[in-house]
């Protein structure tokens, strides 16, 4: 289960795992991978330390900082809570009730993941310019990010034991009480994991908030870096953002640790709850959600493609940008997936406090805005790897750092489903650790590795901020082309790039849904 995997578990050995010490090569490789992933975080900390305490205090005391802090915190709380409410309600209706068209809804409710947040924001603004500020940001981000809660909660409900609900019903508990006393506690871990993903996304988002004219720490950092060229000042603000990310991770871990409800796999599917007279209202609610989250962005793109728009900007090839985006996404997907495998192996097959710390450290980079990751990698290349500067390898490295946590989520979830007894049997027959990995574990993991690669590819092909900073001269992706045109209000010229991004992203999202990533 993705969300459960994201936040990790207590370092308790799973039943059936032979308690062998981790191979030294595995531990060393995971330490090296985590160290590389945390380089941007370390660079931000070191750069912030070059700022004198007096200068740092002056920066943090600027009148703008309380506004940025308030905007970031209130939006993160508001969107995260809204996503939890929408995601849990939608998952419960689809998985536990007799609402019509459940299979269709299960696909439609996930498809907003195929629409990049900045594309959704531009779509709303192009149709309704008043959708701006806190209200606009709250609306757009909630509609874009709720699937991250829906997916793990739906998976948990699908596999949970219906006997718990039956027992509560036999004791006289009504539907509301059963939902609050049985269903909600059983999905608590999944909800917390999904909320953590949403919170980290919000801390690092830039493009959507720039479109919606809502200032957060991420937008201020981008301004400091790109306009003021004040890297030291920006690093102080970035450090504050990192501390928020650490607080999110620590808070989620603390709450998850007390939940103590691992869930059980159902022997039989649960009997659906009959909605009765509430069915039309439930259908209407789901229809409104699908229209707002999916219909508005897709409809806006279709409208602007039909209407068209003249622009004085140079035209670009949609095919060239598509090919460039897909190639870059594929490269990042392969590297990130391969790097995620040893981290997941150490965490699940050789659980320890060190393994748990290394795994959670890999997630911390998700709290960094893309601009911080991009500029850190660019600065490192200028000082230490000059031949690679302005090269495709740097852009790929940025994608790998940014989206490694997504690969780890999928690989960890897939590895959790591989019975460790099979590996123990191979080892008892004389196979080496590496041979067991090659002949037993990896073949069983192939679907999960494919899902991980699809997740990273999906995100990399639509990434904007780091791409703007790290792309080689002359390289244009779908996201940068779309951003160029929408920044000049040429929505008609930008529409084809948005359409291709949605289509290319919808394919892996649909396949992931069909392959049952959520069921993990």
């Amino acid at each position: 289960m993705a969300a459960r995997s994201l936040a990790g578990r207590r370092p308790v050995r799973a039943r059936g795992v032979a308690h062998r010490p981790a191979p030294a090569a595995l531990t060393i490789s995971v330490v090296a991978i985590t160290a590389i992933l945390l380089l941007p975080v370390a660079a931000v900390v070191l750069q912030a330390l070059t700022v004198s305490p007096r200068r740092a205090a002056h920066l943090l005391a600027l009148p703008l900082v309380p506004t940025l802090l308030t905007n970031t915190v209130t939006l993160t709380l508001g969107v995260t809570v809204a996503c939890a409410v929408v995601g849990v309600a939608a998952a419960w209706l689809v998985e536990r009730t007799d609402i019509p068209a459940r299979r269709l809804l299960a696909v439609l409710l996930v498809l907003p993941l195929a629409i990049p947040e900045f594309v959704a924001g531009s779509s709303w603004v192009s149709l309704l310019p008043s959708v701006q500020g806190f209200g606009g940001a709250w609306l757009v981000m909630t509609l874009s990010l709720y699937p991250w809660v829906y997916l793990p909660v739906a998976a948990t409900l699908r596999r949970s034991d219906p006997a718990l609900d039956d027992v509560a019903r036999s004791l006289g508990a009504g539907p509301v009480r059963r939902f609050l006393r049985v269903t909600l506690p059983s999905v608590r871990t999944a909800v917390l994991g999904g909320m953590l993903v949403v919170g980290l996304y919000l801390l690092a988002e830039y493009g959507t908030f720039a479109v919606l004219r809502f200032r957060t720490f991420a937008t201020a950092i981008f301004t400091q870096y790109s306009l003021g060229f004040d890297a030291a000042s920006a690093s102080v603000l970035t450090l504050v953002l990192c501390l928020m990310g650490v607080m999110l991770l620590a808070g989620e871990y603390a709450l998850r640790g007390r939940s103590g409800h691992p869930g059980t796999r159902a022997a039989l599917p649960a009997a659906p709850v009959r909605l009765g007279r509430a069915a039309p209202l439930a259908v209407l609610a789901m229809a409104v959600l699908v229209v707002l989250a999916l219909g508005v962005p897709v409809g806006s793109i279709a409208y602007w493609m039909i209407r068209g728009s003249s622009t004085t900007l140079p035209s670009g090839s949609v095919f060239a940008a598509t090919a460039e985006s897909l190639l870059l996404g594929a490269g990042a997907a392969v590297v990130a997936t391969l790097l995620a495998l040893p981290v997941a192996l150490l965490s699940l097959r050789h659980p320890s406090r060190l393994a748990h710390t290394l795994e959670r450290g890999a997630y911390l980079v998700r709290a960094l805005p893309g601009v911080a990751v991009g500029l850190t990698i660019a600065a490192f290349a200028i000082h230490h790897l000059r031949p690679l500067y302005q090269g495709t390898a740097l852009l790929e490295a940025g994608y790998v750092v940014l989206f490694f946590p997504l690969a780890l989520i999928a690989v960890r979830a897939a590895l959790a489903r591989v019975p460790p007894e099979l590996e123990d049997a191979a080892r008892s027959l004389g196979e080496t650790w590496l041979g067991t990995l090659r002949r037993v574990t990896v073949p069983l993991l192939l679907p999960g590795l494919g899902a991980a690669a699809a997740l990273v590819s999906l995100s990399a092909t639509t990434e904007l901020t780091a791409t703007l900073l790290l792309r080689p001269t002359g390289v244009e992706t779908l996201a940068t082309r779309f951003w160029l045109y929408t920044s000049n209000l040429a929505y008609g010229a930008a529409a084809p790039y948005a359409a291709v991004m949605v289509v290319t992203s919808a394919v892996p999202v649909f396949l992931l849904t069909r392959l049952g990533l959520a069921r993990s």
Side-chain angles (χ1 to χ4, degrees):
M1 181 172 59
R4 287 181 65 182
S5 304
L6 171 63
R9 300 174 178 174
R10 287 179 179 278
V12 178
R13 290 181 173 89
R15 185 174 57 185
V17 176
H19 304 318
R20 296 188 178 92
L26 178 63
T27 304
I28 292 172
S29 64
V30 174
V31 170
I33 291 169
T34 307
I36 292 173
L37 292 172
L38 290 178
L39 271 179
V41 180
V44 168
V45 174
L46 291 176
Q47 198 166 38
L49 291 177
T50 63
V51 181
S52 66
R54 185 175 180 180
R55 171 67 175 161
H58 172 72
L59 286 171
L60 295 177
L62 290 174
L64 179 63
V65 172
T67 302
L68 297 176
L69 185 63
T70 302
N71 287 352
T72 304
V73 171
T74 54
L75 185 73
T76 301
L77 289 175
V79 173
T80 304
V81 172
C83 287
V85 172
V86 174
V88 171
W92 183 78
L93 285 172
V94 171
E95 299 297 333
R96 283 298 177 85
T97 71
D98 61 349
I99 189 171
R102 293 168 60 187
R103 293 176 65 86
L104 178 61
L105 282 174
V107 175
L108 293 179
L109 289 171
V110 179
L111 280 181
L113 286 179
I115 303 173
E117 292 83 13
F118 60 91
V119 172
S122 298
S123 300
W124 276 91
V125 170
S126 68
L127 296 179
L128 298 170
S130 60
V131 179
Q132 293 184 358
F134 178 85
W138 178 85
L139 176 67
V140 172
M141 296 309 289
T142 298
L143 294 173
S144 298
L145 298 179
Y146 81 83
W148 289 110
V149 177
Y150 168 84
L151 276 170
V153 173
T156 303
L157 289 175
R158 196 176 299 128
R159 58 181 287 173
S160 62
D161 192 347
L164 298 174
D165 197 68
D166 294 339
V167 170
R169 184 187 295 109
S170 66
L171 294 175
V176 176
R177 191 177 180 188
R178 293 202 305 275
F179 177 81
L180 295 176
R181 301 291 297 274
V182 177
T183 304
L184 208 52
S186 70
V187 300
R188 180 178 176 181
T189 304
V191 175
L192 289 173
M195 292 174 70
L196 176 62
V197 175
V198 172
L200 293 178
Y201 257 104
L202 291 167
L203 290 182
E205 178 61 28
Y206 162 72
T208 311
F209 299 145
V211 170
L212 298 172
R213 298 183 180 180
F214 184 70
R215 304 189 71 176
T216 65
F217 264 100
T219 61
I221 291 166
F222 188 89
T223 302
Q224 287 285 341
Y225 271 125
S226 59
L227 300 181
F229 301 98
D230 189 352
S233 300
S235 66
V236 174
L237 298 179
T238 306
L239 196 57
V240 176
L241 206 60
C242 288
L243 291 176
M244 291 184 188
V246 171
M247 291 173 65
L248 276 179
L249 287 167
E252 189 274 345
Y253 180 66
L255 293 173
R256 179 187 298 269
R258 292 196 295 268
S259 65
H261 200 303
T264 54
R265 183 177 292 279
L268 295 172
V273 176
R274 295 186 179 278
L275 291 174
R277 295 179 180 178
L281 184 62
V283 172
L284 177 63
M286 290 297 97
V288 170
L289 178 60
V290 170
V291 168
L292 293 179
L294 195 61
V296 171
V298 173
S300 173
I301 293 170
Y303 168 78
W304 286 109
M305 286 192 69
I306 295 172
R307 177 177 174 176
S309 176
S310 60
T311 176
T312 57
L313 295 173
S315 61
S317 168
V318 175
F319 297 105
T322 303
E324 197 72 55
S325 299
L326 293 178
L327 284 174
L328 290 170
V334 171
V335 176
T337 303
L338 292 178
L339 293 179
L341 180 57
V343 179
L345 282 170
L346 184 67
S347 175
L348 279 179
R349 293 300 188 255
H350 308 281
S352 66
R353 191 171 298 278
L354 173 63
H356 189 66
T357 302
L358 292 173
E359 184 196 13
R360 296 190 72 81
Y363 292 124
L364 185 59
V365 74
R366 282 300 304 168
L368 280 182
V371 60
V373 173
L375 286 173
T376 301
I377 293 176
F380 185 81
I382 291 174
H383 291 98
H384 305 289
L385 297 169
R386 187 77 181 186
L388 297 180
Y389 182 64
Q390 281 283 301
T392 304
L394 276 189
L395 182 54
E396 294 279 15
Y399 288 158
V400 171
V401 170
L402 281 171
F403 302 120
F404 175 85
L406 298 181
L408 182 55
I409 288 170
V411 174
R412 196 185 195 282
L415 184 61
R417 297 197 303 273
V418 176
E421 291 83 0
L422 296 179
E423 299 167 0
D424 293 341
R427 297 291 300 274
S428 68
L429 293 174
E431 189 61 87
T432 63
W433 175 83
L434 195 58
T436 302
L437 177 66
R438 179 174 60 85
R439 301 181 62 182
V440 177
T441 309
V442 169
L444 294 173
L445 270 180
L446 283 179
L449 297 178
L455 273 175
V456 175
S457 176
L458 167 68
S459 302
T461 52
T462 57
E463 206 285 333
L464 175 64
T465 313
T467 308
L468 290 172
L469 296 169
L470 293 174
R471 59 179 168 155
T473 302
V475 171
E476 296 287 353
T477 66
L478 292 168
T480 59
R481 278 290 178 190
F482 175 84
W483 187 253
L484 174 67
Y485 288 125
T486 54
S487 299
N488 291 275
L489 304 181
Y491 295 114
Y497 299 95
V500 176
M501 273 192 285
V502 172
V503 171
T504 55
S505 301
V507 173
V509 169
F510 179 76
L511 291 177
L512 286 173
T513 306
R514 300 297 297 174
L515 288 172
L517 175 65
R519 296 183 178 87
S520 68

